[in-house]
């Protein structure tokens, strides 16, 4: 109940955004791949990965930092159960990043006609999940958290195997600094600020308002940081679906 009722529903929400990027990546890469435009294939893949990470990292760090406030906001009538689900949700929050990379790599492999590979890789990951879950859940001190750890392991195995295949068949070499490190730093700072904002205001605003305020603070700080750290440019944002409108909003906060 804690895993499926409290945690899975929250973790599924960020997938709406990351899956949208993965889906939009397929026609762009497929078109370039068909005409053997190697540069176009690689540039689309790089932008796809970076965009996904820019979305996934703040979701992961945000849920991790505000796990308890968010659960109490959503389930005020089940306070004890919500608090009990916090450690499991924090573990599963980290898996958002790994799931996002998996989804993106699946989109890339589908677009170049290697759609069976992700299925095989995920099956291998599921075997690892089964073993890890069986062992860890049986340890009383770990209990249901073992299922969350097993899920995270399955995504890690799948994404590693997928990324090896992406590099093998497209020759794409990702910049770890741009793709992972900069969004991670921005999200980590955002998480700390959101957590601090909640702690400073919960005493006199109450959990619900303090949590919403902390999320708003986190969003503003993260948007400023990803452009300050040059994790993505406004030109790249503009090239995405709905990017023109998004750029107009961003320009109000970032010059």
């Amino acid at each position: 109940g804690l895993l499926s009722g409290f945690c899975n529903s929250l973790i599924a929400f960020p997938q709406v955004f990351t899956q949208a990027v993965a889906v939009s990546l397929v026609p762009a890469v497929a078109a370039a791949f068909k005409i053997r435009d190697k540069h176009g294939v690689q540039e689309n893949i790089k932008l796809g990965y970076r965009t996904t990470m820019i979305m996934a990292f703040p979701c992961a760090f945000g849920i991790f930092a505000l796990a308890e406030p968010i659960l109490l906001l959503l389930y005020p009538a089940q306070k004890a159960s919500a608090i009990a689900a916090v450690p499991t949700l924090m573990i599963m929050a980290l898996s958002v990043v790994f799931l996002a990379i998996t989804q993106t790599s699946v989109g890339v492999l589908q677009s170049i006609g290697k759609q069976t590979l992700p299925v095989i890789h995920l099956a291998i990951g599921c075997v690892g999940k089964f073993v890890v879950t069986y062992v860890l859940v049986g340890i009383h001190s770990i209990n249901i958290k073992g299922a969350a750890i097993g899920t995270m392991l399955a995504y890690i195995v799948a994404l590693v195997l997928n990324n090896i295949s992406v590099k093998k068949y497209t020759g794409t070499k990702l910049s770890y600094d741009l793709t992972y490190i900069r969004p991670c730093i921005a999200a980590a700072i955002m998480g700390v600020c959101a957590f601090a904002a909640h702690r400073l205001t919960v005493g006199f605003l109450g959990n619900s308002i303090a949590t919403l305020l902390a999320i708003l603070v986190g969003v503003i700080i993260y948007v400023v940081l990803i452009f300050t750290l040059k994790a993505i440019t406004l030109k790249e944002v503009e090239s995405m679906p709905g990017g023109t409108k998004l750029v107009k909003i961003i320009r109000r906060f970032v010059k």
Side-chain angles (χ1 to χ4, degrees):
L2 293 178
L3 189 66
S4 60
F6 288 86
C7 301
N8 285 346
S9 55
L10 272 172
I11 297 303
F13 181 68
Q15 296 177 38
V16 175
F17 303 103
T18 55
Q19 185 64 39
V21 175
V23 170
S24 65
L25 193 61
V26 173
V29 175
F33 186 77
K34 188 174 182 180
I35 61 174
R36 297 182 180 180
D37 179 5
K38 187 175 181 180
H39 177 74
V41 169
Q42 293 178 351
E43 288 303 308
N44 277 303
I45 291 173
K46 289 176 184 178
L47 181 58
Y49 269 85
R50 286 171 61 195
T51 306
T52 304
M53 290 299 93
I54 284 171
M55 293 180 179
F57 272 114
C59 291
F61 279 82
I63 294 173
F64 183 89
L66 299 174
E68 184 174 331
I70 289 173
L71 285 171
L72 291 175
L73 170 66
L74 296 176
Y75 307 102
Q78 299 169 279
K79 188 174 181 179
S81 296
I83 293 174
V86 169
T88 305
L89 180 60
M90 292 176 75
I91 294 170
M92 292 194 70
L94 300 177
S95 70
V96 169
V97 174
F98 304 125
L99 173 59
I101 300 173
T102 302
Q103 289 176 329
T104 305
S105 60
V106 167
V108 172
L109 291 173
Q110 286 178 339
S111 64
I112 61 173
K114 301 294 181 181
Q115 58 269 23
T116 58
L117 286 178
V119 180
I120 296 170
H121 297 161
L122 189 58
I124 296 171
C126 285
V127 173
K129 170 183 167 56
F130 177 82
V131 174
V132 170
T133 302
Y134 182 83
V135 172
L136 294 183
V137 171
I139 300 173
H140 183 71
S141 59
I142 298 177
N143 207 311
I144 194 63
K145 294 189 286 293
I149 295 171
T151 299
M152 185 164 60
L153 175 70
Y155 293 144
I156 292 173
V157 171
L159 77 87
V160 169
L161 294 175
N162 284 353
N163 282 354
I164 290 172
S165 296
V166 169
K167 185 176 180 180
K168 177 182 177 180
Y169 293 109
T170 68
T172 304
K173 294 181 179 179
L174 299 174
S175 168
Y176 285 90
D177 176 38
L178 282 175
T179 309
Y180 302 115
I181 296 175
R182 295 188 192 188
C184 182
I185 292 172
I189 296 171
M190 176 216 73
V192 172
C193 293
F195 179 80
H198 180 270
R199 281 297 180 92
L200 291 171
T201 58
V202 68
F204 57 91
L205 291 179
N207 181 69
S208 298
I209 297 177
T211 302
L212 295 174
L213 179 63
I215 293 171
L216 178 61
V217 169
V219 168
I220 294 172
I221 289 174
Y222 183 73
V223 169
V224 172
L225 284 174
I226 59 171
F227 290 105
T228 302
L229 295 173
K230 297 181 180 179
I232 196 168
T233 64
L234 288 175
K235 185 178 180 181
E236 289 171 330
V237 174
E238 210 164 13
S239 67
M240 301 174 194
T244 305
K245 293 181 180 178
L246 188 58
V247 167
K248 290 180 180 178
I249 297 171
I250 292 170
R251 286 192 187 278
R252 295 179 184 178
F253 301 96
V254 183
K255 293 292 184 182

